[in-house]
Amino acid sequence: MRKLTLIFAVVLLSLCSAMPAAAQFRFGIKAGVNVSNLHFDKSTFDSDNRAGFTGGVMAEFTVPLIGVGADLSAMYVRRDAKFMEDNNITKNNRDYIEIPLNLKYKLSLPAISHIIAPFVTTGPSISFLTSRQAVSDVWKNKKASWAWNFGFGVQLVKKLQIAASYGIGLDKAMEFTGNSELVNSGIESKNRYWTVTAAYLF
């Protein structure tokens, strides 16, 4: 995953240096809500959707004539989870600093692009845990986890961006510890989440 992210970043840097004269750089603030779910690859665990929130800062690079660009954010994220194991409910409220890096394409519509401009995004993100690792006697949260995001949205009057994205966890969000027959069972729990945000760019 790290190699893929490095390649992705190199492609974006190449894009940024291709047409510097036409490039637009903007910064802003972003906030929103997320609905997350811990996805287990074993049917013995059942998790439901839980609502959380997010907020932070964002930087955007765009080449106006072709509508291609990128955005980079630093976000505080609260992801709450609740799952059932052997008829016992376990709650896992997690705080992260998430850094998503997205390739962005804005559709330029003649005559109205200064009012409304749809866009799509995709790219990797890494989340660093800032809350406790321990979940229970045999579960702990990982300090960092990777995901890949797919999103869409709309830009209004060149300042406000409303977006929704779906993140697919690429590695384990939690792992087993201690003395348990499940430690080496290969069970994986990965993040899955929808995020809806509003960003204001200066």
Side-chain angles (χ1 to χ4, degrees):
M1 180 59 207
R2 293 180 181 178
K3 291 182 179 179
L4 179 60
T5 303
L6 179 60
I7 294 172
F8 190 82
V10 169
V11 171
L12 290 183
L13 287 174
S14 300
L15 175 64
C16 291
S17 61
M19 286 180 282
Q24 290 182 351
F25 293 90
R26 298 191 297 168
F27 298 88
I29 55 175
K30 183 164 66 171
V33 296
N34 67 74
V35 177
S36 58
N37 181 286
L38 277 173
H39 177 76
F40 293 91
D41 63 350
K42 302 292 184 180
S43 59
T44 53
F45 297 86
D46 184 28
S47 176
D48 61 359
N49 294 322
R50 307 289 289 180
F53 57 90
T54 182
V57 294
M58 169 183 168
E60 181 189 72
F61 160 85
T62 308
V63 181
L65 295 179
I66 61 175
V68 176
D71 65 51
L72 178 67
S73 303
M75 307 292 292
Y76 167 78
V77 180
R78 161 60 66 95
R79 294 193 184 112
D80 294 341
K82 184 174 70 174
F83 61 95
M84 183 170 291
E85 175 188 2
D86 297 328
N87 295 321
N88 295 317
I89 295 176
T90 300
K91 293 184 179 180
N92 184 16
N93 301 327
R94 298 158 293 156
D95 298 320
Y96 293 96
I97 297 297
E98 183 179 18
I99 303 176
L101 174 63
N102 289 311
L103 180 67
K104 177 181 284 185
Y105 173 70
K106 292 181 185 176
L107 179 61
S108 180
L109 303 173
I112 64 169
S113 60
H114 64 289
I115 299 175
I116 183 170
F119 60 83
V120 293
T121 61
T122 188
S125 69
I126 182 170
S127 298
F128 298 98
L129 185 73
T130 60
S131 56
R132 65 178 187 175
Q133 279 192 273
V135 178
S136 67
D137 293 338
V138 295
W139 283 102
K140 75 172 184 179
N141 294 311
K142 291 191 65 178
K143 291 183 178 180
S145 59
W146 290 90
W148 196 276
N149 300 317
F150 301 89
F152 61 93
V154 62
Q155 177 175 278
L156 304 172
V157 295
K158 296 187 176 181
K159 293 288 186 179
L160 181 64
Q161 293 186 2
I162 308 296
S165 65
Y166 185 67
I168 301 174
L170 300 177
D171 58 2
K172 293 181 181 180
M174 298 193 309
E175 57 188 0
F176 282 105
T177 60
N179 296 319
S180 170
E181 63 181 9
L182 297 175
V183 171
N184 298 315
S185 64
I187 293 177
E188 293 189 356
S189 58
K190 297 180 180 180
N191 284 321
R192 298 284 193 274
Y193 51 88
W194 277 100
T195 305
V196 178
T197 58
Y200 186 85
L201 302 177
F202 302 99

